[in-house]
Amino acid sequence: MEKIPKGKYAWTVKVGEKGQFVIPKEAREVFDIKPGDTLLVLGDVKKGIAIPPRNMFTKMAEMIFEQENSDNDSSEE
């Protein structure tokens, strides 16, 4: 039997008629997903769908706003 690398997980889910699926309980526990949380879903036609960790959204937003501020600062010169 092949050993699963530490910190790596895989689950299966079924998509319902409305396109919804339930995140498995173990996954919700591992990633601290609570009812009412907003998740970011990213998609790439070749690579598939990803649901990044919650802190990734914050990091992405910070990068966007830092870039926007940098662009504004350089245009004012």
Side-chain angles (χ1 to χ4, degrees):
M1 181 183 265
E2 209 172 305
K3 188 174 180 176
I4 299 171
K6 185 176 181 179
K8 305 294 182 184
Y9 303 91
W11 297 279
T12 60
V13 297
K14 288 187 180 184
V15 178
E17 290 181 25
K18 294 182 180 181
Q20 300 169 324
F21 65 88
V22 174
I23 298 171
K25 182 178 184 216
E26 184 182 16
R28 295 191 314 265
E29 290 172 350
V30 167
F31 295 103
D32 193 31
I33 299 170
K34 306 283 187 231
D37 284 353
T38 298
L39 302 177
L40 177 65
V41 178
L42 305 175
D44 181 290
V45 173
K46 293 181 182 178
K47 295 181 181 180
I49 294 173
I51 305 172
R54 182 183 337 209
N55 63 353
M56 181 65 72
F57 179 75
T58 303
K59 289 178 186 177
M60 289 173 55
E62 288 172 354
M63 288 172 42
I64 290 167
F65 289 124
E66 285 174 5
Q67 180 63 41
E68 185 177 288
N69 288 335
S70 175
D71 290 347
N72 288 338
D73 291 344
S74 63
S75 66
E76 292 175 4
E77 295 174 2

